[in-house]
Amino acid sequence: AARRAPIPHASLALFTPARAAIAHARSCFTRRSAAAAGADDESFGAFISYYRNEAGCDARLLKDALSAALNRPVFLDTSNADDIRAIVTRGVRNSDALVLLLTEHVLARPWVLLEVYEALRIGKPIVPVLCEGRGYDFGAAEAHMRDLAGYLERTNPGSAATLRSELAGRGLQFSRLQAALVPSLPQI
């Protein structure tokens, strides 16, 4: 029988909070029927939102763990989306909850902010998973959200313009996204 390669140590740090997230997920996720999701839409037990450079491997491992624990498919952009815009419309909307992997620069990613904002707008539960040793700072998150445009430009030049453009294409406003995120993200 083939032996599996050992999981790298960095990935092990995720599994302690991930177990808690899975337990919490089981209590707050609701199984949607095919009729509720729409006959042509696939439904997901969860949607994983993350910054690929800081938690890509962890996201894939968590996807497998959550899929097994929930006995449902879990949406992960690398395997479930051909069009990045479909991530927000199809992925978040057709998932029972959003799982947010908290790492140092996750809030500097326009697509993560769009995913979280969509979850807040449509009332999806958000389950945070703190990736230990990955630099997420709850105090800094609040400051970043209060100066969102400035923070985005300092940490990810051009991302504020990308975010504004994507919001405008959906008929949404940057100021409303920021107003929703300021009281929500630091407390997630």
Side-chain angles (χ1 to χ4, degrees), residues 12-187:
L12 293 176
L14 175 70
F15 281 93
T16 298
R19 284 191 184 104
I22 290 168
H24 180 65
R26 283 184 173 151
S27 69
C28 73
F29 294 168
T30 57
R31 183 174 282 263
R32 292 174 8 156
S33 68
D40 297 328
D41 294 335
E42 183 178 6
S43 69
F44 302 94
F47 177 98
I48 300 176
S49 185
Y50 66 103
Y51 176 26
R52 184 171 291 135
N53 290 351
E54 295 176 345
C57 182
D58 296 316
R60 289 185 296 278
L61 291 169
L62 183 59
K63 177 186 187 248
D64 292 342
L66 278 173
S67 291
L70 298 172
N71 198 27
R72 306 243 347 257
V74 170
F75 190 100
L76 185 66
D77 61 354
T78 59
S79 56
N80 294 101
D82 296 326
D83 176 5
I84 196 158
R85 285 161 185 82
I87 291 172
V88 173
T89 55
R90 181 174 153 246
V92 175
R93 289 177 187 225
N94 291 345
S95 296
D96 292 342
L98 182 137
V99 175
L100 177 61
L101 300 187
L102 302 175
T103 59
E104 184 176 9
H105 296 108
V106 70
L107 301 181
R109 310 310 301 171
W111 291 104
V112 169
L113 296 172
L114 281 169
E115 293 159 3
V116 171
Y117 182 49
E118 183 66 13
L120 289 169
R121 281 181 2 94
I122 61 176
K124 296 287 180 178
I126 298 173
V127 179
V129 175
L130 179 62
C131 296
E132 296 175 3
R134 304 292 173 85
Y136 187 82
D137 180 326
F138 289 91
E142 184 172 6
H144 298 330
M145 290 303 100
R146 293 194 186 287
D147 179 29
L148 184 57
Y151 169 67
L152 290 173
E153 285 311 306
R154 286 189 303 277
T155 57
N156 188 6
S159 61
T162 298
L163 182 57
R164 287 180 195 280
S165 174
E166 287 301 322
L167 287 165
R170 292 174 167 74
L172 303 171
Q173 299 173 339
F174 187 90
S175 60
R176 289 189 181 218
L177 172 136
Q178 185 174 8
L181 296 180
V182 166
S184 303
L185 273 176
Q187 284 74 38

